[in-house]
Amino acid sequence: MGIFRGRPILKWSLIVSFILTLLGLLAAWLFWQSLYRGMPALPATAELWDANREPAIEYVDRTGKTIAIRGPRYGRAVKIDELPPHVPRAFIAAEDKRFYQHDGADTQAMARAAWANVISGRTVSGASTITQQLVKNLVLSPEQTLKRKAQEVRLARALEEQLSKNEILELYLNRVYFGSGFYGLGAASRFYFGKDPQDLTLAEASLLATLPKAPSRLALDDNMEGARQRQVYVLTEMLQAGFITSESAQIALESSVTLAPEPEQDPQFGYILDAVTERANELLPELPDDLVITLTIDAELQTEISAALEARMTEEEEEAEADQTAAVLMNREGHVLALYGGRDYLTNQFNRATQARRQPGSAFKPFVFAAALEDGISPYDVRIDQPVTIDDWSPKNFSRAYMGPVTIAEALRDSLNTIAALLAQEVSVESVVSTARKFGIAADLKPFPSIALGSQEVTLWELTRAYGPFMSGGRRVDPYLIEKIETTRGDVVYQRPEYDAARVYERALSETMTAMLADVIRSGTGKAASVEGWPMAGKTGTSQSSRDAWFVGYSSELLGGIWTGNDDDTPMNGVTGGGLPARLWSDMMTIAHAGRSPSLLRGADQLIELSPEQQARVGYYRDLGMAFAGLAGREPQ
């Protein structure tokens, strides 16, 4: 200590300097530690794919075609080993050339960036690695602060210990933002180029690699010129890294790139997506954030049917004074192939096919006649069409005329209200309600006499499905829209179970009903619903004052229903089920059967001819009725 003798100022200066240095180092240490206070933990490996994601649902039709995406558009999972090498290398060259050399944070790059920024006096260079960018997207906020940057570096190095380089790159490519609401290489590739990432050319891949730097400014559909300028940089970096040859770089620069047209969104799909989303929430109350829902819908068929129905309505709506229609089409397995919820989804999202409850009128009668057959009544039995009163209720035929003696089959063919009302009383109204329910009518039906004429409200969805047992030999048809729900990584979280549909009616009776309903189209009230080359069966329905008009029917393969009316329940101009709805139904079924080979509709051609004795008996009663009408001085009805 002799060196300080006689030099107290030097001594104390050194002591103070040492203390200040210690305090400075302590302060710096405390400050540095404060940067990590509240730092989030990295999610477990299995949770990284779902971290910090907004809910998004991709809807796919039965052929695998994407119909729509609601929410941020995340692509389906892309695997590195399924991509051509130039695709991931384009992103490495553009964003992180030393990706395979650093430990998550590139110290050399950070030093160069810091020096460049000091020299220029402003931020002109960044040094975020792919791993850092991924961490920022997964667990950190986008704020530009020293604290966030410090946490980013530490978490990036931790992530490199948790995952391999290829796993990090794969996760990055599936989570990076490409602008226009698209996240992930799969979504961007399909949106910009209409192809899977596996099919990207070098020119296309290098253009997509320009986007993470400035996804909004360089969006290919808005600023192709700017993206092309940065593409030169990407290709140059790829060349210098030895990823590509100078020849392939030149070809990529000179290649013309065609952007895929943005798909036109058919408003009709809005009704379908709403119904599907509601059902998905019922099936899975806690939906994963990223979903791909495979529908039973055939998007191409849906579009064609929507266009045909709109064209017919546009042509006839003024004369018919009808502003709305709805339709549903399904196959015998219950796959809903098309669903038309109305004509104006953009202004009114009310789904008239699944939500609107309206009176089905005579379209409900098949359940009355089905109950009658089950009770032992034959289609060839005779009943008298004449005025009838049931508990102060006096149903009348649409024509206000009466035919006298008719067979049960004729009564259904010509939609005679009196016979339907009498049959319901004969077999019991409760039996009619029971038949309708087991066939698929979910509405709370009451056993009132007027139910025989369809006075109680149902939806088009349930009325159409309830015709299924006639089509399928007595088995109930359970319609559905969702085939499968999975995450974008391919993990299936719901699969429609396979099961044998419940038998609710005897096969022989269902074929007899088909025989009578086929006669409705051949020679009854539903002639306008015929489809050339195909045997069809169905039934018309009209509610009071033409407020609702329906046609529901089927072939051997497809089952469909049409409703027409006005949202405010005002009457149409004399529209009946055998008119506009039957023509709409024919339009829909003609499109749906195009390209199919006509097949036998079991029962359609086997309506048994009356025996000579039966024909004579019916003829006798008719002649007798006409004779009495003549004696009374009135025209027979």
Side-chain angles (χ1 to χ4, degrees):
M1 297 296 292
I3 59 174
F4 295 117
R5 187 174 295 120
R7 300 179 182 177
I9 296 178
L10 177 61
K11 173 182 176 181
W12 287 108
S13 295
L14 291 173
I15 293 174
V16 169
S17 297
F18 179 72
I19 293 173
L20 290 175
T21 299
L22 287 178
L23 290 175
L25 291 173
L26 178 63
W29 183 83
L30 291 173
F31 172 73
W32 188 252
Q33 292 304 310
S34 71
L35 296 179
Y36 302 111
R37 189 175 299 120
M39 183 177 70
L42 282 176
T45 300
E47 299 172 355
L48 285 169
W49 285 83
D50 299 322
N52 198 26
R53 291 186 63 157
E54 297 179 45
I57 302 178
E58 179 181 0
Y59 301 85
V60 180
D61 85 342
R62 64 189 293 110
T63 68
K65 175 183 177 182
T66 297
I67 295 175
I69 299 173
R70 286 186 170 179
R73 305 182 182 190
Y74 291 99
R76 297 181 217 175
V78 172
K79 297 183 181 300
I80 288 289
D81 56 9
E82 295 176 354
L83 295 172
H86 62 259
V87 175
R89 288 173 177 175
F91 288 87
I92 291 173
E95 297 296 321
D96 188 359
K97 291 178 286 294
R98 285 174 29 84
F99 174 69
Y100 285 102
Q101 283 75 51
H102 61 66
D103 62 354
D106 192 342
T107 304
Q108 293 181 25
M110 286 191 289
R112 286 196 303 270
W115 179 250
N117 294 336
V118 168
I119 294 299
S120 65
R122 58 189 178 89
T123 301
V124 295
S125 179
S128 289
T129 64
I130 281 177
T131 313
Q132 286 175 261
Q133 293 178 46
L134 181 59
V135 163
K136 182 175 66 175
N137 291 335
L138 294 181
V139 296
L140 295 175
S141 67
E143 60 181 349
Q144 297 290 331
T145 63
L146 180 60
K147 181 175 183 178
R148 199 271 296 163
K149 193 67 176 179
Q151 293 182 357
E152 179 186 294
V153 169
R154 177 171 287 189
L155 288 171
R157 286 175 169 150
L159 185 62
E160 293 261 350
E161 296 177 359
Q162 184 173 329
L163 300 178
S164 69
K165 286 288 186 178
N166 278 354
E167 287 174 329
I168 290 171
L169 183 58
E170 186 171 278
L171 191 54
Y172 170 81
L173 291 176
N174 282 284
R175 292 298 303 270
V176 66
Y177 182 54
F178 286 89
S180 300
F182 289 92
Y183 291 82
L185 182 61
S189 177
R190 291 182 182 90
F191 173 72
Y192 286 117
F193 302 119
K195 60 173 63 175
D196 292 331
Q198 294 87 336
D199 300 323
L200 288 170
T201 66
L202 175 59
E204 293 164 342
S206 57
L207 278 171
L208 289 180
T210 69
L211 296 177
K213 191 74 171 179
S216 298
R217 181 171 58 83
L218 297 177
L220 303 184
D221 52 347
D222 289 331
N223 187 13
M224 178 60 81
E225 182 179 351
R228 280 288 199 184
Q229 291 174 3
R230 180 161 170 78
Q231 182 192 32
V232 175
Y233 165 80
V234 174
L235 291 170
T236 300
E237 293 296 318
M238 292 183 74
L239 179 61
Q240 291 179 355
F243 293 157
I244 57 175
T245 64
S246 57
E247 182 181 4
S248 58
Q250 192 62 34
I251 292 173
L253 281 173
E254 296 175 355
S255 296
S256 60
V257 175
T258 303
L259 296 181
E262 187 170 356
E264 294 183 9
Q265 180 65 55
D266 185 342
Q268 275 303 314
F269 286 115
Y271 292 112
I272 296 169
L273 303 187
D274 288 349
V276 167
T277 304
E278 181 179 357
R279 180 59 178 154
N281 279 286
E282 293 173 358
L283 293 170
L284 301 171
E286 294 185 8
L287 291 174
D289 285 343
D290 60 327
L291 292 181
V292 178
I293 302 182
T294 301
L295 312 184
T296 60
I297 293 292
D298 184 322
E300 184 175 344
L301 182 62
Q302 169 76 34
T303 300
E304 289 184 41
I305 288 175
S306 297
L309 298 183
E310 179 59 32
R312 172 76 67 179
M313 287 298 295
T314 300
E315 179 184 345
E316 299 194 32
E317 64 179 324
E318 185 173 351
E319 181 180 350
E321 296 180 10
D323 61 22
Q324 281 299 339
T325 193
V328 61
L329 177 74
M330 63 189 76
N331 63 20
R332 60 192 306 117
E333 287 78 33
H335 303 144
V336 177
L337 305 178
L339 181 68
Y340 188 92
R343 304 175 65 198
D344 57 355
Y345 178 80
L346 298 180
T347 56
N348 187 340
Q349 290 76 50
F350 182 67
N351 191 326
R352 298 157 188 87
T354 62
Q355 296 175 302
R357 296 194 171 275
R358 310 291 290 242
Q359 291 184 347
S362 295
F364 190 85
K365 286 178 183 174
F367 311 117
V368 177
F369 284 76
L373 294 187
E374 203 166 35
D375 200 51
I377 295 173
S378 163
Y380 315 107
D381 287 347
V382 176
R383 297 294 185 271
I384 309 299
D385 179 25
Q386 61 186 357
V388 62
T389 298
I390 303 169
D391 296 337
D392 298 326
W393 174 55
S394 299
K396 295 178 175 58
N397 293 327
F398 181 79
S399 66
R400 296 294 191 266
Y402 300 95
M403 296 178 62
V406 294
T407 64
I408 297 300
E410 290 172 331
L412 182 59
R413 179 195 68 192
D414 298 328
S415 200
L416 302 179
N417 290 341
T418 57
I419 303 301
L422 288 171
L423 280 179
Q425 294 300 303
E426 191 172 339
V427 302
S428 85
V429 177
E430 289 79 8
S431 178
V432 173
V433 170
S434 176
T435 298
R437 283 176 177 164
K438 70 182 181 180
F439 278 26
I441 298 291
D444 184 19
L445 303 176
K446 305 297 183 184
F448 300 146
S450 61
I451 196 174
L453 307 187
S455 62
Q456 297 183 41
E457 296 175 342
V458 298
T459 66
L460 177 63
W461 175 280
E462 61 187 333
L463 182 64
T464 302
R465 73 167 294 199
Y467 276 59
F470 304 138
M471 170 200 193
S472 62
R475 293 192 180 276
R476 189 176 62 221
V477 172
D478 299 322
Y480 63 100
L481 285 162
I482 298 176
E483 191 68 60
K484 180 172 61 176
I485 303 176
E486 56 190 322
T487 68
T488 54
R489 298 182 68 193
D491 299 326
V492 177
V493 294
Y494 168 81
Q495 178 76 53
R496 169 77 174 186
E498 294 184 5
Y499 64 93
D500 292 330
R503 178 168 292 283
V504 296
Y505 203 54
E506 291 183 24
R507 174 177 287 278
L509 296 182
S510 72
E511 292 180 6
T512 301
M513 281 299 302
T514 290
M516 292 194 289
L517 291 171
D519 209 28
V520 171
I521 293 180
R522 274 195 302 264
S523 56
T525 58
K527 294 178 184 177
S530 62
V531 175
E532 185 176 356
W534 281 85
M536 297 280 174
K539 185 69 184 74
T540 58
T542 312
S543 69
Q544 190 174 19
S545 302
S546 290
R547 286 182 167 84
D548 305 281
W550 311 67
F551 193 92
V552 182
Y554 53 93
S555 68
S556 58
E557 300 184 19
L558 300 176
L559 169 64
I562 294 283
W563 165 85
T564 303
N566 293 309
D567 283 341
D568 60 5
D569 205 31
T570 55
M572 294 176 285
N573 183 22
V575 174
T576 66
L580 177 57
R583 291 189 288 275
L584 288 164
W585 190 86
S586 178
D587 293 340
M588 176 174 72
M589 298 300 267
T590 297
I591 292 170
H593 286 80
R596 297 173 182 260
S597 298
S599 55
L600 175 68
L601 177 59
R602 293 178 66 94
D605 57 353
Q606 62 185 44
L607 189 62
I608 301 172
E609 294 292 333
L610 292 177
S611 68
E613 294 78 12
Q614 290 171 319
Q615 291 180 14
R617 184 174 60 179
V618 175
Y620 168 75
Y621 284 135
R622 283 195 180 134
D623 291 343
L624 189 62
M626 294 177 69
F628 277 121
L631 289 173
R634 59 182 173 82
E635 290 293 325
Q637 298 176 314

